[in-house]
Amino acid sequence: MNSFLRSSPTLIWAILLMATLGSWQIGVKEAALVDGSAVLGVGLMVLAFIKVHLVLNYFMDLRHAPWGWRLLYEGWIVAVCGLLLYLYLDAGAGV
């Protein structure tokens, strides 16, 4: 039982669980704000993409993929996160 609790998938699952609970708490706090906060929104998006990275690496086993594929999916994560953050912040600036 002790080795099960110390295995990588169990630890990553616990990190994902804590990140999910943390993002839920941030979302509740942001919803309570009258004007919202760009910092909280950015934090939620970055946390979501960290979770995507962990799921791809540890549960889809892409950490053992060839370097070309790793660069492709890691670049995709960074590009999509950057684009969504840009659109989020740009939309907030127009309000």
Side-chain angles (χ1 to χ4, degrees), residues 8-9 12 51-67 69-70 73-74:
S8 280
I12 297 300
K51 289 170 56 177
V52 167
H53 171 78
L54 290 173
V55 168
L56 287 175
N57 274 325
Y58 290 95
F59 293 107
M60 296 183 73
D61 238 5
L62 289 177
R63 69 183 182 275
H64 300 298
W67 280 105
W69 286 107
R70 287 197 68 184
Y73 82 82
E74 295 284 356

Side-chain angles (χ1 to χ4, degrees), residues 9-75:
T10 304
L11 292 174
I12 297 300
W13 175 81
I15 291 169
L16 289 169
L17 178 64
M18 298 307 287
T20 300
L21 293 174
S23 62
W24 175 69
Q25 279 296 104
I26 291 170
V28 169
K29 288 185 190 326
E30 185 176 21
L33 296 174
V34 175
D35 61 347
S37 173
V39 174
L40 292 177
V42 168
L44 281 173
M45 281 193 226
V46 169
L47 190 58
F49 279 96
I50 290 171
K51 289 170 56 177
V52 167
H53 171 78
L54 290 173
V55 168
L56 287 175
N57 274 325
Y58 290 95
F59 293 107
M60 296 183 73
D61 238 5
L62 289 177
R63 69 183 182 275
H64 300 298
W67 280 105
W69 286 107
R70 287 197 68 184
L71 285 173
L72 184 68
Y73 82 82
E74 295 284 356

Side-chain angles (χ1 to χ4, degrees), residues 30 37-50 76-94:
E30 185 176 21
S37 173
V39 174
L40 292 177
V42 168
L44 281 173
M45 281 193 226
V46 169
L47 190 58
F49 279 96
I50 290 171
W76 175 82
I77 291 172
V78 171
V80 171
C81 183
L83 177 65
L84 287 177
L85 287 173
Y86 170 76
L87 293 172
Y88 175 76
L89 293 172
D90 188 49

